[in-house]
Amino acid sequence: MKSSRVFLFLMSILLVFSLAACSSEPVASVGKEKISSVEYKFFLGLVKMDMETSNGITDESTDAQKKEFWDGSEDGQSRVTVAKNKAIDKLHELKILLMHAKSERYKLEESDLSIIDSTIESLIQEEGNGNRKDADKVVKEKFGISLNDYEKIYKDYYLAYNKYAPDLVKSITIKEEDIKARYEKNEPTYNTEKRTVKHVLIKTIDDSFNPLEEDILKEKEKLANDILSRAKAGEDFDALVQQYTEDTASKPNNGQYCFAKGEFVEEFENYSFKEGLKEGDIDMVKSELGYHIIKFIKNGTTYEAEKDNIRAELQAEAVKAKLDNWKSQKEYTLTKDQEAIDKVEF
């Protein structure tokens, strides 16, 4: 339910997963695969950005504040060392996945390349107002690489994480009893930290997240208030959802969400987590997305609502275990050139 800019979205995905190959002096190797200094520099920059953002360091922070942060330590190590290790570790994982993808003959099809081209074009529109040179300048200023290098990186990312990784996850079967065991173990936490609600969304923005015209906004407000009155009068809430909601994600489930704090827009969450709510309470809040007519269902969640999430958690844990096992194998050994690493400006 929250929007994001195309560039930041791409960068956040790359931060979680890692990078692709560019030609430059190697700083490390994974088996026979090299990790270039360009890769390392770019990914180190992304790690730095993430660590700063997570700790409240922004563009408005002073140089002195940034220096104080990076002079600090985490878990007994300097933050600089932590950042460098994270960068190398994620590159290690990426190289392993790329090696498996290539050995199993995964490749980018025309449809994949079309998606990548569209993504790069969106980046050019977003960061360069449609001008490739301007977008290239922004990428260089932020990450020290060219737009062409970024495109190469994205292609390798796509091969590893959009083509190979989904099949790797699908190959891992999770038993129903394991899902139930995880749910039962965490049920007290679910009941404390999650809420179940249903809602009807009447949007006040268009598909590009721009505000609607004033006369349309007035009609939307009138409709939302009418739905609220009908819901409070006892009209079937599920039927109102099916007739009016503009939240296509929750409509198949009659507008229902089970969620923890930090997953939805602020106004929606503030109401859902308000103390004293009783089953069946109905009210309306307005957010950046529009009007939410909300019916409170219960504190906590249900097994059926959490089952798919738990399955995904267990699959992610299994993938991590598989990666850790691969890392320990000789053919995927990480060998670092510390001298070359230290030459890369932090």
Side-chain angles (χ1 to χ4, degrees), residues 16-250:
V16 172
F17 292 125
S18 191
L19 306 173
C22 299
S23 59
S24 68
E25 179 185 358
V27 298
S29 62
V30 180
K32 296 180 180 180
E33 293 288 323
K34 303 296 183 183
I35 295 176
S36 72
S37 60
V38 170
E39 291 176 293
Y40 173 67
K41 180 180 180 181
F42 179 49
F43 194 69
L44 181 60
L46 291 172
V47 171
K48 287 172 64 178
M49 183 199 311
D50 179 66
M51 289 177 66
E52 288 179 349
T53 301
S54 298
N55 288 275
I57 304 296
T58 66
D59 291 339
E60 286 70 42
S61 299
T62 65
D63 290 341
Q65 289 172 320
K66 291 181 180 180
K67 183 178 184 303
E68 181 182 4
F69 173 74
W70 287 110
D71 284 345
S73 62
E74 292 182 11
D75 300 324
Q77 292 184 311
S78 72
R79 285 201 175 99
V80 172
T81 299
V82 171
K84 289 182 175 182
N85 289 341
K86 284 183 177 181
I88 288 293
D89 186 60
K90 292 301 180 182
L91 282 162
H92 188 189
E93 290 184 4
L94 172 79
K95 293 296 182 179
I96 291 173
L97 290 177
L98 282 176
M99 290 167 73
H100 277 275
K102 292 174 181 178
S103 69
E104 296 179 33
R105 302 186 183 279
Y106 278 76
K107 64 179 182 178
L108 297 176
E109 309 292 344
E110 285 299 320
S111 58
D112 303 317
L113 294 172
S114 178
I115 292 172
I116 292 169
D117 288 344
S118 296
T119 302
I120 297 301
E121 184 58 36
S122 295
L123 172 59
I124 293 171
Q125 292 293 332
E126 188 76 21
E127 297 299 328
N129 293 318
N131 187 297
R132 188 179 180 93
K133 288 185 178 180
D134 289 344
D136 185 68
K137 182 179 179 181
V138 172
V139 174
K140 285 179 179 177
E141 288 175 349
K142 290 185 176 181
F143 302 102
I145 66 169
S146 69
L147 188 57
N148 284 339
D149 283 336
Y150 179 88
E151 189 168 355
K152 293 174 184 176
I153 287 168
Y154 188 50
K155 284 181 179 178
D156 271 357
Y157 148 74
Y158 201 97
L159 179 63
Y161 292 100
N162 283 54
K163 299 289 285 185
Y164 177 71
D167 287 347
L168 178 61
V169 173
K170 289 177 185 176
S171 70
I172 298 170
T173 301
I174 305 297
K175 297 178 181 179
E176 185 80 14
E177 54 262 36
D178 292 333
I179 298 175
K180 286 182 178 178
R182 176 63 62 89
Y183 176 79
E184 290 169 359
K185 178 181 178 181
N186 293 296
E187 191 170 5
T189 302
Y190 290 141
N191 289 335
T192 301
E193 298 182 356
K194 293 203 171 188
R195 299 292 183 268
T196 300
V197 302
K198 292 184 177 182
H199 86 140
V200 177
L201 172 64
I202 303 300
K203 293 170 66 174
T204 56
I205 55 173
D206 61 22
D207 291 339
S208 299
F209 299 96
N210 297 313
L212 299 173
E213 297 292 335
E214 191 63 34
D215 57 336
I216 299 177
L217 288 175
K218 289 180 180 179
E219 293 177 4
K220 293 277 190 173
E221 182 179 13
K222 184 177 182 298
L223 174 60
N225 280 308
D226 178 59
I227 296 170
L228 176 63
S229 297
R230 291 165 61 183
K232 284 189 170 184
E235 194 164 333
D236 185 271
F237 197 85
D238 290 356
L240 291 172
V241 171
Q242 293 303 318
Q243 184 174 358
Y244 293 109
T245 193
E246 295 178 86
D247 179 8
T248 55
S250 67

